[in-house]
């Protein structure tokens, strides 16, 4: 067994985050021998849903999970994180302009970038999934000057490729 990896997941009670944390807990993301400390972040309005995710993880008796931290405080969620999966973001609503979405999510990712630089592991890697992920990753990286540029990733898929 390897050392315990601290994995932070934002939007952990959302549809994508919910599916993702169980894959991490089962070894599907980092391998069948990688023990993890899950550091799950949600907005206050979804705190009860996050507690439900924690109960399900505990009921699943996942042997790779050493500890679960569920919080609405980004600094607590990112503390010592080796990997951060930024899944949470505000979705684009009908009639919403891209600039509106960027304005709302930009504030979130500026703060998350600053918090990651302040408290995450200095070897941390950050994968931004929340759309528009390439822009959100750039925003967070600019704000998170304490982490090297090569530690920031955006999960994206090019449209129209067959």
């Amino acid at each position: 067994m390897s050392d315990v990896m601290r994995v932070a997941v934002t939007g952990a009670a959302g549809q994508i985050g919910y599916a993702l944390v169980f894959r991490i807990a089962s070894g599907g993301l980092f391998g069948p021998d990688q023990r993890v400390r899950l550091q799950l972040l949600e907005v206050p309005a979804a705190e009860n849903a996050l507690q439900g995710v924690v109960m399900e993880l505990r009921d699943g008796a996942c042997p790779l999970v050493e500890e679960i931290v569920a919080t609405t405080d980004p600094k607590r969620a990112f503390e010592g994180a080796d990997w951060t999966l930024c899944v949470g973001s505000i979705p684009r609503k009908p009639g919403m302009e891209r600039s509106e979405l960027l304005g709302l999510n930009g504030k979130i990712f500026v703060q998350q970038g600053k918090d990651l630089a302040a408290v995450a592991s200095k070897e941390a890697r950050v994968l931004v999934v929340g759309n528009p992920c390439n822009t959100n990753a750039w925003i967070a990286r600019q704000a998170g000057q304490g982490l090297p540029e090569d530690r920031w990733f955006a999960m994206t898929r090019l449209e129209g490729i067959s």
Side-chain angles (χ1 to χ4, degrees):
M1 289 287 235
S2 58
D3 290 337
V4 176
M5 179 186 292
R6 291 175 171 232
V7 182
V9 179
T10 73
Q15 290 180 358
I16 296 169
Y18 176 82
L20 183 59
V21 296
F22 287 94
R23 285 177 176 69
I24 296 167
S26 68
L29 185 60
F30 295 110
D33 296 324
Q34 181 60 62
R35 295 177 300 154
V36 293
R37 178 180 194 240
L38 294 174
Q39 300 175 183
L40 310 178
L41 178 67
E42 254 313 340
V43 295
E47 193 169 12
N48 286 340
L50 182 59
Q51 291 306 317
V53 172
V54 170
M55 285 190 281
E56 288 188 42
L57 283 164
R58 289 192 176 129
D59 285 348
C62 305
L64 297 176
V65 177
E66 293 285 317
E67 184 178 358
I68 302 168
V69 173
T71 185
T72 60
D73 177 6
K75 283 189 176 175
R76 184 156 182 245
F78 299 152
E79 184 178 3
D82 299 302
W83 266 98
T84 298
L85 307 168
C86 296
V87 178
S89 66
I90 296 171
R92 190 171 182 176
K93 296 184 176 37
M96 182 183 276
E97 295 293 324
R98 181 177 166 84
S99 61
E100 292 176 78
L101 181 64
L102 287 172
L104 294 170
N105 280 326
K107 292 174 189 169
I108 295 167
F109 283 91
V110 164
Q111 191 58 54
Q112 288 184 355
K114 288 178 181 179
D115 291 342
L116 282 160
V119 300
S121 162
K122 294 307 169 197
E123 302 298 316
R125 288 174 171 74
V126 182
L127 174 65
V128 177
V129 179
N131 279 319
C133 62
N134 54 344
T135 304
N136 289 336
W138 184 85
I139 290 169
R141 186 183 80 186
Q142 294 306 308
Q145 292 295 313
L147 294 176
E149 287 188 8
D150 66 347
R151 301 301 174 114
W152 299 87
F153 308 92
M155 183 174 178
T156 189
R157 180 177 182 276
L158 298 176
E159 296 297 325
I161 295 185
S162 43

